[in-house]
Structures are given as C-alpha cells and as structure tokens.
Amino acid sequence: MKQITAILDGFGSTWLLLVRSLSYAGTLPRQYRRFFEQCYLIGYTTLPIVAILSFFIGSVLALQAGYSMQNFGTQQFIGSLVGLSMARELGPVMVAILLAGRVGSAITAELASMKVYQEIDALVTMNIPPARMLVLPRLAATLVMVPVLAIIADLVGWFGGAIVAKYTAMISIEPEAYFAVLRRYTHFKDVLNGLIKAELFGFVVVLVCCNIGLNTRGGPREIGASVTRAVVVSLILILVLDYFVTQVLMPLQ
Amino acid sequence: MTCSSTRSPFSQVETPAVGVSIEKLSKDFGRLKVLKEVTFAVEPGEIFVLMGPSGSGKSVLLKHIVGLELPTSGRVTVDGKDAAAEETREQVRMALVFQSGALFNSLSVYDNLALYPREHRVANEAGIREKVMHALQILSLEGTARKSPSELSGGMKKRVAIARALVMEPQLMLYDEPTSELDPVMSATISEIIATVKEDYHVTTIVVSHERELAFGIADRVGILMGGALISLGPAAELRSPQDPRVAEFLNPKIDLQHPRFKNLET
C-alpha cells in the first residue's frame, strides 16, 4: 500500500512540477544564461558518449543483420535495416538512456544535495520558486538539445553500419550501395518519428530527475538513493513509453 | 545606534516591521507530536528569542512562520496574513538565516547575496552591486565577495547568511540557531549583529537559540519551548529568577555526577 501511494505521489508531484515550471515560461528570456549553461551540459558534454555509442550500435546492427541476411542472400538491404532501426528506434532510445545516465543522474544529485543542505528551502523563503530557477531552464535546454543529439546519433550510427558493411568479408557492400538503399527506404518521416520520441523521452527523463531530486528528504545517504531511483524510474519510463508511443505514431505514417 | 547615512543603498521607502501571531499551532510528524497547541504573538519591531532544548520543536516552529511547514492544526499569521499561503511570501519580505547558513555552494559569496535582487529585479546591476557591498561591509565581509562558500569558516558562513538576508531588506528576520557551533567570542559577535540589525533596520526579529547569553543580552521577550509546548513566556529579565523548576534547570543546569541525568532520560 505504501509503495502504491509513493508511486501515485510521484506521478502527482511530477505533473505539478511540470505545470509550475511551464507557468514561468515567460521568464525564460531573462534566464538565458542558465539556459545556455544547461544547453552546454545537456547537449555538448553528452555528445561524445552519444557518438561513440551510436557508432557501435550502428556497427553491430550491420554485423548482426549481415550474419542473418547472408542466409537469404539479402545483404544489399542492410542499409535499409540500419537506417530504419537507428532513426525510428535505437537513436532516440539510446539518446534517452544516455541522458538518464549522464545528465539525469547529475541533475538529481545536484538538486537532492541542494534540498538536503536546505538551499532549496532558502530559495523558497527568498520567494524564488525552484521550478522557475532550477527546473525551467533544464527543461527548455532539453527540448532544444535532444533532437540535435538524436540526429547526430542517427548519422553516426548509419556511418558505423556503412563501415562494417564495407570491411566485413561476409557482407562486403560498398558505401555507395549501402547509402543508396538506406536513402530509398528511410524517409524523412521515419527520422521525424524518432525525433518526436527522443524529445518526449528526454523531456520526461529530465522532468522526473528534477522532481525526484527536489523531493529528497534526509541526509547524504538519501542523495545516493535518489540518484539511483531517478535513473531506474527514467529507464523504466523510457522503455514503457517507447512501446506506447511507437504504437500511437505507427498509424500516423 | 542609528545608521541612516549608510542606509542609502537600500530602498528609501521605510517598510514597516510586521507582527507574527501563532494560534494553537500543532504539528504532527506521523505519530510524533512535535508542537502542541503553541500560542504566542511577536510584536512588530521586537526581538523575540525562542529557547528550548534540542528536539523541542523550535526549528519546526520557525519553519511554520516562513511557510516551509504546514500546520497540522492551528494558524500562523504574519502581518495578519496566513503564513502557509504562497502569496504571503510575495507580500511580506521574510528572511530566514538557516542554522547551516544554506548558502548556495555553486555561487560565490557575491552572487549568493546578489541572487535575491537579481531574481526580483529590484535594481540594475550597479544598484545591486552597491546593495551587496553595503551588506558585506556592515558585517565586515568585504574581503570574501569573490570566495566560494566552501572556503569560509563557520562564523563567516553565518555572517554571510545574515548579509544575504539583509540584502532582502526584510520586514521579518528569523534566525535558526545563529550561534550554534561557534566559539564564545563569535557567539557574542553574532548577538551584537542581530541587535544592531534590528536597531538599524527596525525589523521584527525572532531568534531560535538555546544560548542563555544571547537571550539575556538582546531579547525583549523570551519564550521557552519544551516537549512541543510553550512553558514560559515573558520579558528576558524575568528569567533571571525563574519560578518553574524546568526553566530553572534548563537555564542553569548543574553537573551532578552522583545522579546523572542521562540515566533518567525517557527513550
């Protein structure tokens, strides 16, 4: 029973935090410094790990696909498989998972320690709503940076696939042929579909991580516990949302 | 002591000090009753010291006044407005000096002080600079402006926290254990600062403390909270010869090795 109320509590406070943050949207222009700082943290510093991971995801996709497709002699379609999988599914999901691990955990740790050391209380008594100063710039920066990260993940993944396709003996497909197939079967709407997913997942991850951080109570141990919870909840939400969002977006194609 | 000449960077309009009224305030945390029907009022412009042993609910009471905690029953009003309502913080400027200081660790001392005027856009950057430097100067902290809070000693942190509260030009100033963990001289210094600030800015002041010297030195009235209930309320002078044995023991505990108290403590 306690767990159920805790989950409902989490849902409620997350929605409340979202509404509160959005109600301060008008203050964003004068918070441009915080916004750009968050863009730097959320976008730029996450870029290397996104690039490395998507490169290898694209590569392994091509490798596995080449291995199973050679039985049917359909290796020439590897480009379409890598292209669609990266754009529609793996690009956005990988970006969201990395965001949870790298940015979400840092956000929760920072806000939780601010809460535990009463900095949040100090803000409240100074009549500076934490939702305005701490949450809004992060959410706005996420909305701007996540699509950029997802596009880079797609591109790097496609290139990873192309390199494997050329240099693996059992596949041996020239990049020209690989990209020709990729372009024939991967359309703009597929990429857009992936970007919508990435945007949604990224937003949910950052919102949930902010909320868990701000609702931390106790001491240093609870900061650690909050970070763990934030990452676990984020990962669950990403994968559960992924299924339902995919189902909703499918008929719209 | 008046300070009208150095007052200039702060707003020219005098905002009156506000009164605080606490009516039958009770607070439960689960089964634990932290406050039991506490009632008292603090007059505008007075220094009220709330004393009591650790865990008696003093800090929780203070949090009710700024609206960080909501009452289980009863009512707290500041200047006649409900302290639990968010709008009250917009209408009345209240500053709470936290026990730990609660300085923003990611900001320099200067930016800690400048945060409030910047967020509320009370002045341009030059005006804010003047206010901040003035507040730092009052507390002899000019040298720390560029430092980060982690570089400061305990006494300096408390003074920076007081300076940060001063920049808000509060109508109600609350101090949570301002002298805890400080050496006797620094404790006396902080007491002097509290009294000076009250004198110069005519701000209603509520201090939560268990320090006798502070209460006798600067308080207009003293309340004593024990086990969540107010057991004594009156002018500081009255406490020099207390009637209630609990108050007498709290203010003048004798170390008795034959009958040590900790053997009789309730668990």
Side-chain angles (χ1 to χ4, degrees), chain B residues 56-170:
Chain B
S56 57
K58 301 175 304 248
S59 299
V60 175
L61 200 153
L62 210 56
K63 284 189 174 176
H64 279 88
I65 300 175
V66 283
L68 286 175
E69 294 280 358
L70 303 179
T72 306
S73 68
R75 203 169 126 86
V76 179
T77 56
V78 177
D79 199 20
K81 302 172 188 78
D82 188 357
E86 265 178 57
E87 304 85 68
T88 309
R89 284 197 287 271
E90 282 164 27
Q91 291 156 354
V92 183
R93 287 190 307 278
M94 294 180 266
L96 170 57
V97 178
F98 287 84
Q99 184 170 5
S100 61
L103 301 174
F104 305 114
N105 269 313
S106 56
L107 302 178
S108 71
V109 168
Y110 180 89
D111 290 331
N112 258 283
L113 269 68
L115 185 68
Y116 179 87
R118 276 180 187 154
E119 285 293 314
H120 292 276
R121 292 189 282 187
V122 296
N124 59 15
E125 204 51 41
I128 289 172
R129 186 172 180 79
E130 205 181 349
K131 276 177 199 286
V132 169
M133 293 319 282
H134 178 66
L136 286 174
Q137 186 200 333
I138 293 173
L139 295 167
S140 316
L141 286 164
E142 296 98 318
T144 64
R146 293 279 148 233
K147 285 191 176 155
S148 124
S150 57
E151 296 172 66
L152 304 177
S153 68
M156 272 182 164
K157 270 187 196 161
K158 299 231 163 162
R159 274 149 65 205
V160 171
I162 296 174
R164 186 176 71 181
L166 274 185
V167 173
M168 293 172 67
E169 298 171 42

Side-chain angles (χ1 to χ4, degrees), chain B residues 181-211:
Chain B
E181 298 156 37
L182 295 182
D183 64 73
V185 176
M186 189 46 77
S187 298
T189 313
I190 297 285
S191 303
E192 289 161 11
I193 290 170
I194 294 171
T196 312
V197 164
K198 182 252 162 180
E199 206 57 50
D200 291 357
Y201 301 100
H202 192 66
V203 50
T204 311
T205 305
I206 301 177
V207 188
V208 156
S209 176
H210 40 224
E211 189 166 309

Side-chain angles (χ1 to χ4, degrees), chain A residues 83-96:
Chain A
L84 282 173
S85 311
M86 277 315 287
R88 292 180 63 95
E89 190 61 49
L90 291 168
V93 170
M94 285 317 295
V95 165

